[in-house]
Amino acid sequence: MVESSTFVHVPVLSRELVEGLAVAPGGHYLDATVGGGGHSSLILSQFPDVRVSAIDRDAEAIAAAQSRLSSFGDRVSFWQGNFSDYPPGDTRFDGIIADLGVSSAQLDIPERGFGFRHAAALDMRMDRRQSLTAADLINESDEVELANIFYRYGEERLSRRIARRVVEKRPFETTVQLAEAIAQCYPPKARYGRIHPATRVFQALRIAVNQELTSLETFLTQAPHWLKPGGRIGIISFHSLEDRLVKHSFKDSDLLKVITKKPIIAQEDELEQNPRSRSAKLRFAYLPPHS
């Protein structure tokens, strides 16, 4: 078990998220992806009577957030699970936030298997209570299934070639073995660019293992019903598949009104401090008060 102190997640677009949420005294907010607790800490710090309900699929994230937010006492409560399964009961929130995708902590803890800088088991489970791992998908799916996963969730143009290579070379045990096999599908010049050739496939596997887009669709359908009239929802996404879902869900909603016509992106100072913020996009919508 990894100590919670090693779970350090740098939250992105923090200023913009808290500003756009318009945190009010006495407000109750839902952080649907608490991570290490960075965004929740900022929300709770706005006023002494603000409350937060915090969700995460990852037990290590919950442990880290509980430690970081302990000074706020009973103003924050925790629930471990997929945000699409969250049971709010009769609770309605003044605001809801979600910071999608994999966290910097998950990427930086090698044994979680989300990245390929270090050799680790092909895991990629955000919730380690589930049985399906990346190794299961890579080693047991047929070639067509793999090609579809790589193309649909990673927008990988060499999806068929990579799927064929994976089936030829498997079984794979480690992240590095898989990353090297993927790189060999690219011409030598393309193997050493700014973005590693395996990046898109690893994204695709992670999304498939955790059913991220399916969960997001469900959450986006349910979350507007959890808002109080006038309440706001802000979602940070990190790739076009997520951002597209958020954009269209807000625009097509019968309940919500869009606040951000164009997504909010990181400013220069944040880009310098946290390069991972370069792909972050933040969108807001709100539930209009009853007329």
Side-chain angles (χ1 to χ4, degrees):
M1 178 70 181
V2 177
E3 293 297 317
S4 64
S5 59
T6 66
F7 195 103
V8 180
H9 176 50
V10 181
V12 301
L13 297 170
S14 298
R15 293 168 301 200
E16 295 85 352
L17 188 68
V18 172
E19 188 180 312
L21 205 56
V23 178
H28 187 185
Y29 298 86
L30 177 67
D31 186 344
T33 51
V34 71
H39 288 133
S40 279
S41 178
L42 288 167
I43 293 168
L44 289 158
S45 299
Q46 298 299 301
F47 299 100
D49 55 354
V50 167
R51 290 178 296 141
V52 166
S53 293
I55 301 173
D56 209 284
R57 299 168 76 164
D58 193 322
E60 289 170 29
I62 292 277
Q66 284 173 329
S67 175
R68 179 170 185 171
L69 304 174
S70 59
S71 62
F72 296 104
D74 61 6
R75 291 169 54 199
V76 55
S77 59
F78 296 89
W79 185 83
Q80 187 193 348
N82 190 320
F83 56 20
S84 64
D85 297 327
Y86 180 64
D90 296 328
T91 305
R92 295 296 173 266
F93 298 99
D94 295 281
I96 297 172
I97 62 168
D99 182 357
L100 303 175
V102 68
S103 74
S104 46
Q106 288 164 329
L107 284 168
D108 291 340
I109 299 171
E111 54 265 44
R112 299 301 299 269
F114 285 103
F116 42 79
R117 283 183 300 167
H118 308 278
L122 283 159
D123 190 329
M124 299 195 192
R125 291 171 297 169
M126 290 179 175
D127 184 343
R128 295 211 253 193
R129 298 174 298 186
Q130 81 172 42
S131 57
L132 181 72
T133 67
D136 296 331
L137 276 183
I138 277 293
N139 292 323
E140 295 170 20
S141 303
D142 68 34
E143 188 178 317
V144 173
E145 283 177 299
L146 287 173
N148 286 340
I149 287 170
F150 302 159
Y151 185 75
R152 188 180 307 141
Y153 298 144
E155 299 177 298
E156 172 54 70
R157 60 189 177 80
L158 299 184
S159 57
R160 289 180 181 163
R161 183 188 301 175
I162 294 168
R164 196 175 313 123
R165 175 64 60 91
V166 164
V167 170
E168 285 169 5
K169 297 282 187 183
R170 65 189 186 188
F172 292 93
E173 291 182 2
T174 71
T175 53
V176 170
Q177 286 173 344
L178 178 60
E180 286 172 354
I182 295 164
Q184 288 165 11
C185 296
Y186 276 77
K189 276 194 293 188
R191 293 176 198 171
Y192 305 103
R194 189 171 64 86
I195 296 174
H196 191 284
T199 301
R200 285 179 290 273
V201 168
F202 270 66
Q203 172 188 297
L205 279 174
R206 191 200 81 222
I207 289 171
V209 167
N210 296 290
Q211 297 189 307
E212 290 177 42
L213 297 184
T214 309
S215 298
L216 177 58
E217 284 186 63
T218 303
F219 172 72
L220 289 168
T221 301
Q222 295 173 338
H225 299 279
W226 304 345
L227 285 169
K228 291 178 185 174
R232 296 184 171 203
I233 179 168
I235 312 271
I236 298 173
S237 62
F238 287 87
H239 55 75
S240 57
L241 299 172
E242 291 173 339
D243 182 55
R244 215 172 293 141
L245 276 178
V246 175
K247 176 184 176 180
H248 290 297
S249 177
F250 283 180
K251 190 162 67 78
D252 300 339
S253 173
D254 294 331
L255 297 174
L256 299 176
K257 291 280 183 275
V258 172
I259 295 173
T260 46
K261 293 287 189 265
K262 290 187 175 178
I264 298 165
I265 58 173
Q267 300 298 303
E268 283 299 323
D269 59 335
E270 182 172 7
L271 289 169
E272 284 174 20
Q273 291 171 2
N274 181 13
R276 283 176 180 157
S277 66
R278 72 177 180 270
S279 54
K281 291 182 177 177
L282 169 60
R283 294 183 185 271
F284 276 104
Y286 76 104
L287 182 68
H290 300 307
S291 51

